[in-house]
Amino acid sequence: MELSKNFEPSTTDEKWYQHWMNKGYFYSKPDERTPYTIVIPPPNVTGVLHMGHCLNNTTQDILIRKARMSGFNACWVPGTDHASIATEAKVVAMLREKGISKSSLTREQFLEYAWEWKEKYGGIILQQLKKLGCSLDWNRTAFTMDDDYYRSVIRVFNDLYQKGHIYRGKRMINWDVKALTALSDEEVIRKETNQKLYHIRYAIDGSDEGLVIATVRPETIMGDTAICVHPNDERYRHLHGKHAIVPLINRKIPVITDEYVTMEFGTGALKVTPAHDMNDNQLGQKHGLEVIDIFNDDGTLNADAQIYVGLDRFEARKKIAAELEEKGFLVKTEDYTSEVGYSERTDAVVEPRLSLQWWVSMKAISKPALEAVMNEDINFHPAKFKNLYRHWMENIKDWCISRQLWWGHRIPAWYDNEGRFVVANNEAEALEKFYEQYGVDNPVLKQDEDCLDTWFSSWLWPFEVFKGYSNPGNAEIQYYYPTNTLVTAPEIIFFWVARMIMAGEEYMHAKPFNDVYFTGIVRDKQGRKMSKSLGNSPDLLGLIDKYGADAVRFGIMISSPAGNDLLFDESSLEQGRNFNNKMWNALKLVKMWEARQSPGTDTTANFAVNWFESRLNEVRTEVDTLMKQFRLSEALKTIYSLIWDDFCSWYLEWIKPGFEQPIDPGVYNKTLDFFTDLVQLLHPFMPFVTEEIYQLLKPRQDDLCVKQFPPIGSSNADILSNAVLLKDVITGLRDVRNKQQLKPKETIELFIDSSNNATYSQIENILAKQVNAASISFTTAQVADAISCVIGKDKFYIKTERPVDSGQQRTDLEKELNHLKGFLQSVEKKLGNEKFVQNAKPEVLALEQKKKSDAETKIRIIEESLAAL
């Protein structure tokens, strides 16, 4: 079989994924093995694969494949989130295209369209994960609105309500005027925004005086019910207890005092609008102020505003500012920058609003979740996120869980015509409870119109995908829970991670996972977060088609240290593709030798074989440690260097037979074993190219996907050290050949002046072949008419048929000498620093002293060579 010029993922990726699926390698069921479980952070049903998904799911796949090949019963659970706000917006848009408005439909009719949309589009992202090579157990695909899951969400609501942890209350909330729903604090993104600060004059009732306030929201003056000043502010002491007149609508409002006001900000006078500002609302409650809500749900002004009724709030701002200026109330405007809240989903400016909503009281249920992380029962990687988590948990606020939407889990509360209500699991239970609670038989009840926050369902994800709450104590929940690792992004540490820990502790009485690995955020080369609006988010499926899944996985992982943002550059995918082709070319080279085997033909390769075996074991140990520490990017870089540098650039060159020469079968078979071990080590990171190479190396009865890692052997430190010496000498001598413009075919005579002749005897044959030396001799004296050089602590003399240019030699040696003297000076300066010597670790100090000793030895040798010249 003739191999293609380069690795061709277009013909390979789908072939192997389908093969693995047909073999059932991703399927898991409880057995005698130790489980290794990951639950996917469920992507929204509206989602399409992007670079963030690529990073997150590649990371999970690496962990799950490594576990599967290490003897664990690997279970990776796929699924999707119903995503209330995002999905409802998609359905409303679809209906609009058909000329249908949501308001013209009943709830049931709208939900029929929503389910139709979900069935058509909701699974797209899961299918796309297959193209990335994700080895999920597709038989377990879950959805947050599956029947059992839905019932569990409703039961949890009932349980928390019965325990007193859920209540209904009128409080200030974040209102999304575009999605027409309440938002939790965590769903609000605060952004620095350029605005105008308007200085507005309020007349004082019964006098010619005025009071100037500064505000960025002149459109809310119609909701003002007081002006507040600091009690110690001498400028306004004479106005205490008086009244001001709201411009344009002439409402009389009191001047009140409170230490909350900052005298130095603006004018030191604050307009108080309890209906439309969180802090103003608290002031209003404290001082018993009237609350006047001037906005409709969609952010337009309502009748209570009295003016510009029906106008959008930002359009009203312009009109009101113009009228204030026209009528002499606007003193001045100035540029001003401050943080403004935006809806995470719709990017609309959030409107603070007083609203009757459902809430979870968080203090009581959050304590076990805080302790689990701080006591390291759950480990964060990187650990720096513990402090962020602790700060949020110690300052936790109640969670607004009601959303004014139809798509989602409907709040299980039923009301009668008088507004009395009960919370129940279903309507039949509600009727019974109503009779028990209110003594009313067969009342006419209506269920709450609102839905629950999407996160109220996804916080059950780690146990409910195994039906841990809907079917308590079942075999699967007992086997797979707690799960092993959660891979997620830091921005949902509060939305999801913290809440899953709370739910796990509350309902399973156990943590939901052992480890949390936080990926970074994928940014473009300019450091900007990728988004559709910026047009800087590449088409991931297009990149997979162009480079192949392995190259994309390599490109995203090679530059993604845990917890740190990564700057995505398509060149890293090119590097991945080049890596594929490097291995492919190595495969072609090795296969060329298959028919050229002859016993006992070459003994020079023994050192190469022994070295690479030690080097492979050394790297396997290092990679194993890095993987346990979740340093996946570093593990990949280590494997990459082992394959590209050690195997392809050194080992294969050292064992390569001469032109039309045979190769020893023992060396050939050992090389196949090494290649097998290398692709196995790389497989979790790049599954397709490694499986293809594994199958082509020699006839197989198994698949790499499930091949178990062999035990890690020992490394020989002396052989590893000798190989480093060999590589340094080959590199140094090749450099000398290039400088002397010796052609590769020109042979040399090599003389070595070293105190370590025994080591050179072991590597002599490989060294001769690599630098094209016809002979190698050992000497302790200057060799006449030879090019001399110093590599490490040893002197080398090269004889050629060409005359020696001693002037060039002197120049090269003096250049090297000056460099070494500068280096020695810097090391001596460091060792002469008492503070460094006192504080440095012993191993660091020893390393610096070794640098000094080595530099001094090299300087002495070069000076001797110069003297001889």
Side-chain angles (χ1 to χ4, degrees):
M1 173 187 169
E2 187 176 347
L3 297 175
S4 58
K5 181 183 177 183
N6 292 317
F7 174 66
E8 295 177 352
S10 58
T11 60
T12 304
D13 292 9
E14 190 175 344
K15 173 186 76 175
W16 285 118
Y17 197 89
Q18 194 56 54
H19 174 77
W20 297 328
M21 290 277 286
N22 293 343
K23 289 280 191 175
Y25 291 150
F26 308 156
Y27 173 68
S28 174
K29 64 179 180 180
D31 59 24
E32 71 284 350
R33 291 174 295 169
T34 302
Y36 186 94
T37 315
I38 298 177
V39 293
I40 193 173
N44 292 349
V45 287
T46 58
V48 175
L49 212 59
H50 57 60
M51 296 310 295
H53 291 128
C54 177
L55 172 60
N56 185 283
N57 288 285
T58 298
T59 301
Q60 292 175 79
D61 195 43
I62 291 166
L63 295 172
I64 210 76
R65 285 181 182 273
K66 173 74 164 58
R68 189 179 292 120
M69 298 167 75
S70 302
F72 292 94
N73 186 352
C75 178
W76 185 13
V77 181
T80 50
D81 190 289
H82 66 281
S84 292
I85 296 175
T87 306
E88 185 144 330
K90 290 277 188 184
V91 176
V92 168
M94 177 193 75
L95 291 171
R96 194 182 301 120
E97 288 176 6
K98 295 181 178 183
I100 303 169
S101 66
K102 178 186 173 184
S103 58
S104 69
L105 301 173
T106 64
R107 188 188 194 102
E108 288 68 29
Q109 289 170 330
F110 177 82
L111 289 177
E112 279 183 28
Y113 282 112
W115 278 105
E116 181 186 317
W117 187 94
K118 184 265 175 187
E119 294 306 320
K120 188 173 181 180
Y121 300 107
I124 289 176
I125 193 165
L126 297 182
Q127 295 305 312
Q128 292 172 339
L129 287 174
K130 294 179 180 178
K131 286 203 72 171
L132 193 59
C134 295
S135 56
L136 292 134
D137 182 353
W138 297 106
N139 295 313
R140 294 182 175 277
T141 304
F143 177 51
T144 51
M145 283 175 60
D146 286 339
D147 289 345
D148 285 344
Y149 203 118
Y150 194 106
R151 283 191 290 272
S152 291
V153 172
I154 300 307
R155 282 181 56 213
V156 165
F157 184 100
N158 274 263
D159 178 71
L160 291 176
Y161 181 77
Q162 294 301 326
K163 291 174 178 174
H165 299 323
I166 284 182
Y167 64 94
R168 188 170 182 245
K170 195 167 191 178
R171 297 177 53 179
M172 290 297 288
I173 52 103
N174 305 292
W175 182 260
D176 186 332
V177 300
K178 193 171 179 181
L180 303 181
T181 183
L183 303 172
S184 67
D185 289 345
E186 290 72 37
E187 291 168 298
V188 177
I189 308 299
R190 304 206 68 81
K191 302 178 191 176
E192 285 286 325
T193 305
N194 295 324
Q195 303 177 86
K196 295 287 184 186
L197 190 62
Y198 300 86
H199 292 252
I200 304 169
R201 184 179 185 275
Y202 286 57
I204 299 300
D205 186 39
S207 79
D208 295 330
E209 276 194 88
L211 188 58
V212 177
I213 61 94
T215 181
V216 293
R217 303 201 65 192
E219 71 275 16
T220 63
I221 63 172
M222 298 84 73
D224 291 353
T225 54
I227 286 180
C228 189
V229 297
H230 195 283
N232 299 333
D233 194 332
E234 292 298 332
R235 293 172 295 175
Y236 305 120
R237 191 177 291 278
H238 66 291
L239 298 178
H240 294 183
K242 296 198 173 183
H243 287 78
I245 307 296
V246 178
L248 306 186
I249 61 168
N250 298 321
R251 180 191 299 125
K252 190 190 294 187
I253 58 174
V255 177
I256 62 173
T257 64
D258 198 287
E259 291 181 350
Y260 166 76
V261 177
T262 303
M263 288 187 273
E264 295 76 24
F265 177 75
T267 64
L270 177 76
K271 74 185 212 55
V272 185
T273 319
H276 300 294
D277 183 274
M278 301 281 186
N279 296 319
D280 287 9
N281 184 260
Q282 291 179 10
L283 269 178
Q285 289 181 40
K286 183 177 178 181
H287 293 274
L289 300 177
E290 184 182 1
V291 178
I292 303 171
D293 186 346
I294 63 167
F295 289 128
N296 293 312
D297 290 353
D298 60 359
T300 57
L301 296 180
N302 64 23
D304 288 332
Q306 302 180 43
I307 56 175
Y308 299 111
V309 175
L311 205 61
D312 177 77
R313 54 190 170 153
F314 295 121
E315 196 58 37
R317 178 181 298 179
K318 296 175 190 172
K319 300 271 188 186
I320 288 168
E323 187 177 346
L324 288 169
E325 185 172 25
E326 181 187 328
K327 294 183 176 177
F329 294 111
L330 187 60
V331 177
K332 66 174 181 177
T333 61
E334 55 190 14
D335 291 332
Y336 182 68
T337 302
S338 68
E339 280 194 345
V340 174
Y342 291 79
S343 167
E344 186 210 22
R345 290 291 177 205
T346 66
D347 204 39
V349 173
V350 166
E351 191 61 54
R353 190 178 189 191
L354 199 60
S355 181
L356 185 61
Q357 302 286 345
W358 289 90
W359 304 79
V360 178
S361 179
M362 301 295 278
K363 284 287 183 189
I365 63 171
S366 63
K367 189 179 177 185
L370 175 59
E371 291 172 351
V373 172
M374 300 319 294
N375 296 340
E376 297 187 350
D377 194 27
I378 297 172
N379 292 294
F380 282 1
H381 309 274
K384 66 181 182 182
F385 289 108
K386 274 177 66 177
N387 288 333
L388 181 68
Y389 179 86
R390 177 181 54 78
H391 177 76
W392 186 76
M393 292 289 277
E394 287 177 350
N395 298 278
I396 200 164
K397 296 177 182 176
D398 286 0
W399 174 16
C400 177
I401 55 169
S402 44
R403 299 291 180 269
Q404 288 61 54
L405 302 165
W406 282 351
W407 172 250
H409 305 83
R410 194 171 180 180
I411 289 176
W414 279 263
Y415 304 82
D416 70 358
N417 294 331
E418 297 178 31
R420 295 176 296 185
F421 71 89
V422 292
V423 169
N425 287 295
N426 50 57
E427 189 171 7
E429 188 180 294
L431 287 166
E432 290 177 16
K433 284 190 173 183
F434 216 89
Y435 179 75
E436 291 170 10
Q437 201 164 327
Y438 301 109
V440 178
D441 200 9
N442 292 321
V444 177
L445 299 180
K446 187 178 181 184
Q447 190 175 351
D448 199 306
E449 289 289 327
D450 291 350
C451 279
L452 288 162
D453 178 13
T454 297
W455 300 103
F456 192 86
S457 53
S458 55
W459 72 331
L460 313 182
W461 188 253
F463 56 82
E464 193 47 35
V465 294
F466 301 112
K467 302 195 182 330
Y469 193 63
S470 51
N471 183 16
N474 73 73
E476 294 222 327
I477 193 68
Q478 290 186 10
Y479 181 74
Y480 291 114
Y481 190 92
T483 67
N484 291 76
T485 306
L486 175 74
V487 179
T488 189
E491 59 258 42
I492 57 172
I493 191 170
F494 312 128
F495 283 124
W496 195 46
V497 179
R499 291 169 181 164
M500 280 191 291
I501 300 172
M502 292 179 210
E505 296 285 355
E506 184 75 20
Y507 291 106
M508 296 293 106
H509 309 294
K511 61 186 178 182
F513 26 71
N514 299 325
D515 295 281
V516 182
Y517 175 90
F518 292 105
T519 63
I521 296 170
V522 185
R523 300 184 182 275
D524 65 14
K525 285 188 281 188
Q526 298 174 45
R528 301 175 302 174
K529 190 173 179 179
M530 289 184 170
S531 68
K532 289 180 185 176
S533 59
L534 288 174
N536 64 347
S537 185
D539 173 12
L540 180 56
L541 295 175
L543 293 176
I544 292 174
D545 289 339
K546 182 178 178 181
Y547 295 99
D550 287 323
V552 172
R553 289 165 66 115
F554 174 94
I556 200 78
M557 290 307 301
I558 202 74
S559 53
S560 61
N564 292 324
D565 294 353
L566 62 128
L567 303 182
F568 175 75
D569 189 335
E570 200 169 319
S571 64
S572 64
L573 274 60
E574 292 173 11
Q575 185 185 0
R577 182 171 60 189
N578 293 342
F579 187 33
N580 279 341
N581 291 332
K582 183 78 171 179
M583 291 186 287
W584 193 251
N585 288 331
L587 170 68
K588 290 196 291 183
L589 177 66
V590 171
K591 294 296 283 183
M592 279 171 53
W593 303 337
E594 191 172 17
R596 292 166 54 185
Q597 298 177 65
S598 178
T601 52
D602 184 13
T603 58
T604 63
N606 288 344
F607 175 81
V609 170
N610 292 335
W611 162 68
F612 196 78
E613 188 158 26
S614 273
R615 179 69 182 134
L616 180 61
N617 288 333
E618 180 184 42
V619 170
R620 282 192 61 200
T621 302
E622 186 180 343
V623 167
D624 215 43
T625 300
L626 290 169
M627 295 288 281
K628 286 172 182 173
Q629 296 170 345
F630 293 91
R631 293 157 65 189
L632 307 189
S633 183
E634 292 171 62
L636 177 56
K637 287 173 185 173
T638 304
I639 299 169
Y640 173 77
S641 177
L642 175 68
I643 294 174
W644 188 292
D645 298 328
D646 292 321
F647 185 69
C648 295
S649 298
W650 292 113
Y651 174 77
L652 292 181
E653 286 299 313
W654 291 354
I655 66 158
K656 185 165 68 174
F659 181 65
E660 294 187 347
Q661 295 297 307
I663 187 169
D664 185 82
V667 173
Y668 180 74
N669 288 320
K670 214 39 172 154
T671 301
L672 294 186
D673 292 343
F674 290 153
F675 213 154
T676 296
D677 288 343
L678 291 172
V679 293
Q680 185 178 20
L681 192 58
L682 181 62
H683 181 77
F685 295 87
M686 302 173 75
F688 296 114
V689 65
T690 50
E691 184 74 77
E692 181 76 358
I693 291 173
Y694 177 76
Q695 299 296 341
L696 290 172
L697 274 170
K698 63 181 181 181
R700 307 282 189 184
Q701 299 299 318
D702 62 350
D703 293 314
L704 184 60
C705 178
V706 290
K707 183 179 175 64
Q708 299 300 292
F709 285 112
I712 300 175
S714 59
S715 295
N716 185 312
D718 289 338
I719 290 178
L720 291 171
S721 175
N722 293 345
V724 171
L725 173 65
L726 176 58
K727 288 190 277 186
D728 287 345
V729 171
I730 291 170
T731 303
L733 292 175
R734 283 175 175 172
D735 187 44
V736 172
R737 288 186 62 112
N738 288 335
K739 285 178 180 176
Q740 297 295 322
Q741 297 182 334
L742 293 175
K743 294 177 181 176
K745 288 184 179 179
E746 289 184 65
T747 59
I748 62 170
E749 289 179 65
L750 183 64
F751 299 84
I752 304 173
D753 183 354
S754 171
S755 60
N756 199 9
N757 291 351
T759 297
Y760 280 103
S761 296
Q762 294 177 41
I763 60 178
E764 181 180 346
N765 291 332
I766 294 175
L767 176 58
K769 186 167 72 171
Q770 293 294 295
V771 299
N772 199 9
S775 66
I776 294 180
S777 306
F778 297 100
T779 183
T780 57
Q782 178 83 13
V783 178
D785 300 321
I787 303 161
S788 66
C789 66
V790 177
I791 301 170
K793 297 179 181 179
D794 301 325
K795 278 187 194 177
F796 295 83
Y797 301 95
I798 299 169
K799 271 199 165 188
T800 73
E801 293 179 359
R802 298 186 182 191
V804 175
D805 183 351
S806 58
Q808 181 61 47
Q809 276 196 73
R810 180 176 293 279
T811 301
D812 291 344
L813 287 169
E814 286 175 345
K815 184 179 178 182
E816 176 70 5
L817 182 62
N818 290 333
H819 168 74
L820 283 168
K821 283 182 175 179
F823 175 74
L824 178 61
Q825 196 174 9
S826 68
V827 174
E828 286 176 334
K829 187 177 179 182
K830 191 181 284 187
L831 289 171
N833 183 330
E834 284 185 29
K835 191 174 181 182
F836 169 77
V837 173
Q838 288 172 359
N839 296 326
K841 293 179 180 178
E843 60 268 27
V844 173
L845 204 57
L847 180 62
E848 293 301 318
Q849 287 165 341
K850 185 177 184 303
K851 286 179 186 176
K852 179 176 181 288
S853 173
D854 289 349
E856 287 170 340
T857 303
K858 288 180 182 179
I859 287 169
R860 178 180 55 76
I861 294 170
I862 290 174
E863 285 175 340
E864 289 173 0
S865 297
L866 284 168
L869 280 173

Coordinates of all heavy atoms in Angstrom, one line a residue, residues 599-631:
P599 N 19.6 -9.7 9.5 CA 20.1 -9.9 10.8 C 21.5 -9.6 11.0 O 22.3 -9.9 10.1 CB 19.8 -11.4 11.1 CG 18.8 -11.8 10.1 CD 19.0 -11.0 8.9
G600 N 21.8 -9.0 12.1 CA 23.2 -8.7 12.5 C 24.0 -7.8 11.6 O 25.2 -7.8 11.5
T601 N 23.2 -6.9 10.9 CA 23.9 -6.0 10.0 C 24.4 -4.8 10.6 O 25.3 -4.1 10.1 CB 22.9 -5.6 8.9 OG1 21.7 -5.1 9.5 CG2 22.6 -6.8 8.0
D602 N 23.9 -4.4 11.8 CA 24.4 -3.1 12.4 C 24.3 -3.1 13.9 O 23.3 -3.4 14.5 CB 23.5 -2.0 11.8 CG 23.9 -0.6 12.3 OD1 25.1 -0.5 12.8 OD2 23.2 0.4 12.2
T603 N 25.4 -2.9 14.5 CA 25.4 -2.9 16.0 C 25.6 -1.4 16.5 O 25.6 -1.2 17.7 CB 26.6 -3.7 16.5 OG1 27.8 -3.2 15.9 CG2 26.4 -5.2 16.1
T604 N 25.8 -0.5 15.6 CA 26.0 0.9 16.0 C 24.8 1.5 16.6 O 24.8 2.5 17.3 CB 26.5 1.8 14.8 OG1 25.4 1.8 13.8 CG2 27.8 1.2 14.2
A605 N 23.6 0.9 16.2 CA 22.3 1.5 16.7 C 22.0 1.1 18.1 O 21.0 1.6 18.7 CB 21.2 1.0 15.8
N606 N 22.8 0.2 18.7 CA 22.4 -0.2 20.1 C 22.3 1.0 21.1 O 21.4 1.1 21.9 CB 23.5 -1.2 20.6 CG 23.4 -2.5 20.0 OD1 22.4 -2.8 19.3 ND2 24.4 -3.3 20.1
F607 N 23.3 1.9 21.0 CA 23.2 3.1 21.9 C 22.0 3.9 21.6 O 21.3 4.3 22.6 CB 24.5 4.0 21.7 CG 24.4 5.2 22.5 CD1 24.7 5.3 23.9 CD2 23.9 6.4 21.9 CE1 24.6 6.4 24.6 CE2 23.8 7.6 22.7 CZ 24.1 7.6 24.0
A608 N 21.6 4.1 20.3 CA 20.4 4.8 20.0 C 19.2 4.2 20.6 O 18.3 4.9 21.1 CB 20.3 5.0 18.5
V609 N 19.1 2.9 20.4 CA 17.9 2.2 21.0 C 17.9 2.3 22.5 O 16.8 2.6 23.1 CB 18.0 0.7 20.5 CG1 16.9 -0.1 21.3 CG2 17.8 0.6 19.0
N610 N 19.0 2.1 23.1 CA 19.0 2.1 24.6 C 18.7 3.6 25.1 O 18.0 3.7 26.1 CB 20.4 1.7 25.1 CG 20.6 0.2 24.9 OD1 19.7 -0.5 24.8 ND2 21.9 -0.1 24.9
W611 N 19.2 4.5 24.4 CA 18.9 5.9 24.7 C 17.5 6.3 24.6 O 16.8 6.8 25.5 CB 19.8 6.9 23.9 CG 19.2 8.3 23.9 CD1 19.1 9.1 25.0 CD2 18.5 9.0 22.9 NE1 18.4 10.3 24.7 CE2 18.0 10.2 23.4 CE3 18.1 8.7 21.6 CZ2 17.3 11.1 22.6 CZ3 17.4 9.6 20.8 CH2 17.0 10.8 21.3
F612 N 16.9 5.9 23.4 CA 15.5 6.3 23.2 C 14.5 5.6 24.2 O 13.6 6.2 24.6 CB 15.0 6.1 21.8 CG 13.8 6.9 21.5 CD1 13.8 8.2 21.2 CD2 12.5 6.2 21.5 CE1 12.7 9.0 21.0 CE2 11.4 7.0 21.3 CZ 11.4 8.3 21.0
E613 N 14.9 4.4 24.5 CA 14.0 3.7 25.5 C 14.0 4.4 26.9 O 13.0 4.6 27.5 CB 14.5 2.3 25.7 CG 13.6 1.4 26.6 CD 13.8 -0.1 26.3 OE1 14.9 -0.5 25.9 OE2 12.9 -0.8 26.5
S614 N 15.2 4.9 27.3 CA 15.3 5.7 28.5 C 14.6 7.0 28.4 O 13.9 7.4 29.3 CB 16.8 5.9 28.8 OG 17.3 4.9 29.6
R615 N 14.8 7.6 27.2 CA 14.2 9.0 27.0 C 12.7 8.9 27.0 O 12.0 9.7 27.6 CB 14.7 9.5 25.7 CG 14.2 10.9 25.3 CD 14.6 12.0 26.2 NE 14.0 13.3 25.9 CZ 13.5 14.1 26.7 NH1 13.5 13.8 28.0 NH2 12.9 15.2 26.3
L616 N 12.2 7.8 26.4 CA 10.7 7.6 26.3 C 10.2 7.4 27.7 O 9.1 8.0 28.1 CB 10.4 6.4 25.4 CG 8.9 6.0 25.3 CD1 8.1 7.1 24.6 CD2 8.8 4.7 24.4
N617 N 10.8 6.6 28.5 CA 10.4 6.4 29.9 C 10.4 7.7 30.7 O 9.6 7.9 31.5 CB 11.2 5.3 30.6 CG 10.9 3.9 30.0 OD1 9.8 3.6 29.5 ND2 11.9 3.0 30.0
E618 N 11.5 8.4 30.5 CA 11.6 9.7 31.2 C 10.5 10.6 30.9 O 9.9 11.2 31.8 CB 13.0 10.3 30.8 CG 13.2 11.7 31.5 CD 14.5 12.3 31.0 OE1 14.8 12.3 29.8 OE2 15.3 12.9 31.9
V619 N 10.2 10.7 29.6 CA 9.1 11.6 29.2 C 7.7 11.1 29.6 O 6.9 11.9 30.1 CB 9.1 11.9 27.7 CG1 7.8 12.6 27.2 CG2 10.3 12.7 27.3
R620 N 7.5 9.8 29.6 CA 6.2 9.2 30.0 C 6.0 9.6 31.5 O 4.9 9.9 31.9 CB 6.2 7.7 29.8 CG 5.9 7.3 28.4 CD 5.6 5.8 28.3 NE 4.4 5.5 29.1 CZ 4.1 4.3 29.5 NH1 4.9 3.3 29.2 NH2 3.0 4.1 30.2
T621 N 7.0 9.5 32.3 CA 6.9 9.8 33.7 C 6.6 11.3 33.9 O 5.7 11.7 34.7 CB 8.3 9.5 34.5 OG1 8.6 8.1 34.3 CG2 8.2 9.9 35.9
E622 N 7.3 12.1 33.1 CA 7.0 13.6 33.2 C 5.6 13.9 32.7 O 4.9 14.7 33.4 CB 8.0 14.3 32.3 CG 8.0 15.8 32.4 CD 9.0 16.5 31.5 OE1 10.0 15.8 31.0 OE2 8.9 17.7 31.2
V623 N 5.1 13.3 31.6 CA 3.8 13.6 31.1 C 2.7 13.1 32.1 O 1.7 13.8 32.4 CB 3.6 12.9 29.8 CG1 2.1 12.9 29.4 CG2 4.4 13.6 28.7
D624 N 3.0 12.0 32.7 CA 2.1 11.4 33.8 C 1.9 12.4 34.9 O 0.8 12.7 35.3 CB 2.6 10.1 34.3 CG 1.5 9.1 34.6 OD1 0.5 9.0 33.8 OD2 1.5 8.5 35.7
T625 N 3.0 13.0 35.3 CA 2.9 14.0 36.4 C 2.2 15.3 36.0 O 1.3 15.8 36.7 CB 4.4 14.4 36.9 OG1 5.0 13.2 37.3 CG2 4.4 15.4 38.0
L626 N 2.5 15.7 34.8 CA 1.9 16.9 34.2 C 0.3 16.7 34.1 O -0.4 17.6 34.4 CB 2.5 17.3 32.9 CG 3.9 17.9 32.9 CD1 4.5 17.9 31.5 CD2 4.0 19.2 33.6
M627 N -0.1 15.6 33.6 CA -1.5 15.3 33.5 C -2.2 15.3 34.8 O -3.3 15.8 34.9 CB -1.7 14.0 32.7 CG -1.2 13.9 31.3 SD -2.2 14.9 30.2 CE -3.6 13.8 29.9
K628 N -1.6 14.7 35.8 CA -2.2 14.7 37.2 C -2.3 16.1 37.7 O -3.2 16.4 38.5 CB -1.3 13.8 38.1 CG -1.5 12.3 37.8 CD -0.5 11.5 38.7 CE -0.6 10.0 38.4 NZ 0.4 9.2 39.0
Q629 N -1.4 17.0 37.3 CA -1.5 18.4 37.7 C -2.3 19.3 36.8 O -2.4 20.5 37.0 CB 0.0 18.9 37.8 CG 0.8 18.3 38.8 CD 2.3 18.7 38.7 OE1 2.7 19.2 37.7 NE2 3.1 18.4 39.7
F630 N -3.0 18.6 35.8 CA -3.8 19.3 34.8 C -3.0 20.4 34.0 O -3.6 21.4 33.6 CB -5.0 20.0 35.5 CG -6.0 19.0 36.1 CD1 -5.9 18.6 37.4 CD2 -7.0 18.5 35.3 CE1 -6.7 17.6 37.9 CE2 -7.9 17.5 35.8 CZ -7.8 17.1 37.1
R631 N -1.7 20.1 33.8 CA -0.9 21.0 33.0 C -0.9 20.4 31.6 O 0.2 19.9 31.1 CB 0.5 21.2 33.6 CG 0.4 21.9 34.9 CD 1.6 21.7 35.9 NE 2.9 22.1 35.3 CZ 4.0 21.8 35.8 NH1 4.1 21.1 36.9 NH2 5.1 22.3 35.3

